[in-house]
mmCIF file of all heavy atoms in Angstrom:
data_model
loop_
_atom_site.group_PDB
_atom_site.id
_atom_site.type_symbol
_atom_site.label_atom_id
_atom_site.label_comp_id
_atom_site.label_asym_id
_atom_site.label_seq_id
_atom_site.Cartn_x
_atom_site.Cartn_y
_atom_site.Cartn_z
ATOM 1 N N LYS A 42 -7.369 -21.283 -41.777
ATOM 2 C CA LYS A 42 -7.819 -20.680 -40.480
ATOM 3 C C LYS A 42 -8.649 -21.737 -39.782
ATOM 4 O O LYS A 42 -8.550 -21.798 -38.483
ATOM 5 C CB LYS A 42 -8.642 -19.435 -40.702
ATOM 6 C CG LYS A 42 -9.316 -18.864 -39.565
ATOM 7 C CD LYS A 42 -8.342 -18.124 -38.659
ATOM 8 C CE LYS A 42 -9.137 -17.408 -37.515
ATOM 9 N NZ LYS A 42 -8.154 -16.785 -36.676
ATOM 10 N N MET A 43 -9.421 -22.534 -40.409
ATOM 11 C CA MET A 43 -10.315 -23.478 -39.760
ATOM 12 C C MET A 43 -9.688 -24.881 -39.671
ATOM 13 O O MET A 43 -10.372 -25.768 -39.109
ATOM 14 C CB MET A 43 -11.608 -23.647 -40.619
ATOM 15 C CG MET A 43 -12.461 -22.317 -40.631
ATOM 16 S SD MET A 43 -13.918 -22.463 -41.603
ATOM 17 C CE MET A 43 -13.311 -22.216 -43.307
ATOM 18 N N GLY A 44 -8.465 -25.048 -40.103
ATOM 19 C CA GLY A 44 -7.808 -26.360 -40.002
ATOM 20 C C GLY A 44 -8.311 -27.340 -40.971
ATOM 21 O O GLY A 44 -8.270 -28.545 -40.736
ATOM 22 N N LEU A 45 -8.834 -26.881 -42.163
ATOM 23 C CA LEU A 45 -9.439 -27.765 -43.096
ATOM 24 C C LEU A 45 -8.691 -27.762 -44.497
ATOM 25 O O LEU A 45 -9.242 -28.184 -45.506
ATOM 26 C CB LEU A 45 -10.897 -27.305 -43.311
ATOM 27 C CG LEU A 45 -11.790 -27.470 -42.129
ATOM 28 C CD1 LEU A 45 -13.137 -26.802 -42.375
ATOM 29 C CD2 LEU A 45 -11.937 -28.964 -41.755
ATOM 30 N N LEU A 46 -7.484 -27.169 -44.477
ATOM 31 C CA LEU A 46 -6.728 -27.167 -45.731
ATOM 32 C C LEU A 46 -6.323 -28.600 -46.135
ATOM 33 O O LEU A 46 -5.943 -29.346 -45.220
ATOM 34 C CB LEU A 46 -5.430 -26.337 -45.583
ATOM 35 C CG LEU A 46 -4.525 -26.263 -46.733
ATOM 36 C CD1 LEU A 46 -5.167 -25.375 -47.821
ATOM 37 C CD2 LEU A 46 -3.193 -25.652 -46.421
ATOM 38 N N MET A 47 -6.535 -28.945 -47.361
ATOM 39 C CA MET A 47 -6.239 -30.321 -47.780
ATOM 40 C C MET A 47 -5.248 -30.279 -48.886
ATOM 41 O O MET A 47 -4.125 -29.935 -48.773
ATOM 42 C CB MET A 47 -7.538 -31.133 -48.128
ATOM 43 C CG MET A 47 -7.400 -32.601 -48.396
ATOM 44 S SD MET A 47 -6.500 -33.462 -47.091
ATOM 45 C CE MET A 47 -5.283 -34.330 -48.092
ATOM 46 N N ASN A 48 -5.703 -30.577 -50.168
ATOM 47 C CA ASN A 48 -4.789 -30.686 -51.255
ATOM 48 C C ASN A 48 -4.947 -29.489 -52.296
ATOM 49 O O ASN A 48 -4.171 -29.439 -53.233
ATOM 50 C CB ASN A 48 -4.833 -32.000 -52.019
ATOM 51 C CG ASN A 48 -6.254 -32.420 -52.305
ATOM 52 O OD1 ASN A 48 -7.245 -31.722 -51.927
ATOM 53 N ND2 ASN A 48 -6.413 -33.612 -52.895
ATOM 54 N N HIS A 49 -5.918 -28.640 -52.049
ATOM 55 C CA HIS A 49 -5.960 -27.459 -52.858
ATOM 56 C C HIS A 49 -5.128 -26.405 -52.111
ATOM 57 O O HIS A 49 -5.524 -25.891 -50.999
ATOM 58 C CB HIS A 49 -7.463 -26.914 -52.975
ATOM 59 C CG HIS A 49 -7.584 -25.667 -53.744
ATOM 60 N ND1 HIS A 49 -7.275 -25.622 -55.097
ATOM 61 C CD2 HIS A 49 -8.000 -24.476 -53.433
ATOM 62 C CE1 HIS A 49 -7.505 -24.432 -55.545
ATOM 63 N NE2 HIS A 49 -7.940 -23.685 -54.579
ATOM 64 N N LEU A 50 -3.958 -26.072 -52.627
ATOM 65 C CA LEU A 50 -2.972 -25.348 -51.902
ATOM 66 C C LEU A 50 -3.205 -23.831 -51.934
ATOM 67 O O LEU A 50 -2.710 -23.112 -52.858
ATOM 68 C CB LEU A 50 -1.604 -25.742 -52.419
ATOM 69 C CG LEU A 50 -1.166 -27.155 -52.393
ATOM 70 C CD1 LEU A 50 0.139 -27.431 -52.997
ATOM 71 C CD2 LEU A 50 -1.327 -27.766 -50.975
ATOM 72 N N ASP A 51 -4.114 -23.377 -51.153
ATOM 73 C CA ASP A 51 -4.383 -21.944 -51.112
ATOM 74 C C ASP A 51 -4.436 -21.384 -49.681
ATOM 75 O O ASP A 51 -4.709 -22.135 -48.738
ATOM 76 C CB ASP A 51 -5.787 -21.673 -51.816
ATOM 77 C CG ASP A 51 -6.950 -22.188 -51.116
ATOM 78 O OD1 ASP A 51 -6.863 -23.161 -50.340
ATOM 79 O OD2 ASP A 51 -8.094 -21.629 -51.235
ATOM 80 N N ILE A 52 -4.035 -20.147 -49.615
ATOM 81 C CA ILE A 52 -3.964 -19.391 -48.408
ATOM 82 C C ILE A 52 -4.735 -18.158 -48.530
ATOM 83 O O ILE A 52 -4.514 -17.414 -49.613
ATOM 84 C CB ILE A 52 -2.492 -19.104 -47.977
ATOM 85 C CG1 ILE A 52 -1.701 -20.415 -47.832
ATOM 86 C CG2 ILE A 52 -2.428 -18.304 -46.697
ATOM 87 C CD1 ILE A 52 -0.193 -20.243 -47.814
ATOM 88 N N ASP A 53 -5.700 -17.851 -47.658
ATOM 89 C CA ASP A 53 -6.617 -16.722 -47.924
ATOM 90 C C ASP A 53 -6.503 -15.657 -46.768
ATOM 91 O O ASP A 53 -6.570 -16.056 -45.632
ATOM 92 C CB ASP A 53 -8.029 -17.227 -47.902
ATOM 93 C CG ASP A 53 -8.366 -18.213 -49.045
ATOM 94 O OD1 ASP A 53 -8.150 -17.855 -50.152
ATOM 95 O OD2 ASP A 53 -8.650 -19.382 -48.779
ATOM 96 N N PHE A 54 -6.296 -14.430 -47.192
ATOM 97 C CA PHE A 54 -6.272 -13.265 -46.296
ATOM 98 C C PHE A 54 -7.296 -12.257 -46.748
ATOM 99 O O PHE A 54 -7.438 -11.966 -47.918
ATOM 100 C CB PHE A 54 -4.947 -12.663 -46.226
ATOM 101 C CG PHE A 54 -3.909 -13.341 -45.458
ATOM 102 C CD1 PHE A 54 -2.994 -14.258 -46.025
ATOM 103 C CD2 PHE A 54 -3.737 -13.108 -44.043
ATOM 104 C CE1 PHE A 54 -2.083 -14.925 -45.322
ATOM 105 C CE2 PHE A 54 -2.816 -13.812 -43.292
ATOM 106 C CZ PHE A 54 -1.891 -14.680 -43.957
ATOM 107 N N HIS A 55 -7.980 -11.671 -45.754
ATOM 108 C CA HIS A 55 -8.710 -10.386 -45.985
ATOM 109 C C HIS A 55 -7.919 -9.364 -45.297
ATOM 110 O O HIS A 55 -7.509 -9.493 -44.110
ATOM 111 C CB HIS A 55 -10.125 -10.520 -45.486
ATOM 112 C CG HIS A 55 -11.056 -11.112 -46.453
ATOM 113 N ND1 HIS A 55 -12.418 -11.149 -46.281
ATOM 114 C CD2 HIS A 55 -10.827 -11.719 -47.653
ATOM 115 C CE1 HIS A 55 -12.963 -11.762 -47.324
ATOM 116 N NE2 HIS A 55 -12.002 -12.094 -48.134
ATOM 117 N N ILE A 56 -7.646 -8.271 -45.975
ATOM 118 C CA ILE A 56 -6.818 -7.219 -45.504
ATOM 119 C C ILE A 56 -7.542 -5.922 -45.406
ATOM 120 O O ILE A 56 -8.224 -5.556 -46.444
ATOM 121 C CB ILE A 56 -5.543 -7.092 -46.437
ATOM 122 C CG1 ILE A 56 -4.730 -8.328 -46.333
ATOM 123 C CG2 ILE A 56 -4.731 -5.845 -46.040
ATOM 124 C CD1 ILE A 56 -4.223 -8.879 -47.660
ATOM 125 N N TYR A 57 -7.539 -5.259 -44.298
ATOM 126 C CA TYR A 57 -8.376 -4.031 -44.149
ATOM 127 C C TYR A 57 -7.578 -2.758 -43.950
ATOM 128 O O TYR A 57 -6.520 -2.782 -43.191
ATOM 129 C CB TYR A 57 -9.244 -4.261 -42.942
ATOM 130 C CG TYR A 57 -10.180 -5.382 -43.066
ATOM 131 C CD1 TYR A 57 -9.831 -6.656 -42.607
ATOM 132 C CD2 TYR A 57 -11.432 -5.276 -43.700
ATOM 133 C CE1 TYR A 57 -10.660 -7.761 -42.786
ATOM 134 C CE2 TYR A 57 -12.245 -6.389 -43.873
ATOM 135 C CZ TYR A 57 -11.867 -7.609 -43.367
ATOM 136 O OH TYR A 57 -12.665 -8.698 -43.541
ATOM 137 N N SER A 58 -8.012 -1.689 -44.548
ATOM 138 C CA SER A 58 -7.432 -0.370 -44.291
ATOM 139 C C SER A 58 -8.494 0.710 -44.379
ATOM 140 O O SER A 58 -9.580 0.443 -44.887
ATOM 141 C CB SER A 58 -6.315 -0.080 -45.287
ATOM 142 O OG SER A 58 -6.755 -0.147 -46.627
ATOM 143 N N ASP A 59 -8.272 1.784 -43.700
ATOM 144 C CA ASP A 59 -9.206 2.876 -43.619
ATOM 145 C C ASP A 59 -9.604 3.483 -45.004
ATOM 146 O O ASP A 59 -10.683 3.985 -45.163
ATOM 147 C CB ASP A 59 -8.764 4.031 -42.730
ATOM 148 C CG ASP A 59 -8.639 3.553 -41.260
ATOM 149 O OD1 ASP A 59 -9.476 2.710 -40.817
ATOM 150 O OD2 ASP A 59 -7.700 4.016 -40.585
ATOM 151 N N THR A 60 -8.702 3.447 -45.953
ATOM 152 C CA THR A 60 -8.847 3.885 -47.310
ATOM 153 C C THR A 60 -8.332 2.795 -48.192
ATOM 154 O O THR A 60 -7.359 2.107 -47.773
ATOM 155 C CB THR A 60 -8.244 5.276 -47.646
ATOM 156 O OG1 THR A 60 -6.804 5.084 -47.375
ATOM 157 C CG2 THR A 60 -8.820 6.352 -46.713
ATOM 158 N N ILE A 61 -8.821 2.650 -49.375
ATOM 159 C CA ILE A 61 -8.276 1.791 -50.369
ATOM 160 C C ILE A 61 -7.484 2.647 -51.339
ATOM 161 O O ILE A 61 -8.058 3.410 -52.099
ATOM 162 C CB ILE A 61 -9.358 0.998 -51.107
ATOM 163 C CG1 ILE A 61 -10.028 0.009 -50.189
ATOM 164 C CG2 ILE A 61 -8.697 0.201 -52.287
ATOM 165 C CD1 ILE A 61 -9.142 -1.165 -49.720
#
Side-chain angles (χ1 to χ4, degrees):
K42 174 73 174 178
M43 295 179 281
L45 297 170
L46 181 71
M47 186 55 228
N48 47 2
H49 181 64
L50 304 178
D51 67 335
I52 301 169
D53 300 299
F54 282 95
H55 276 188
I56 296 139
Y57 299 93
S58 57
D59 292 325
T60 58
I61 292 290

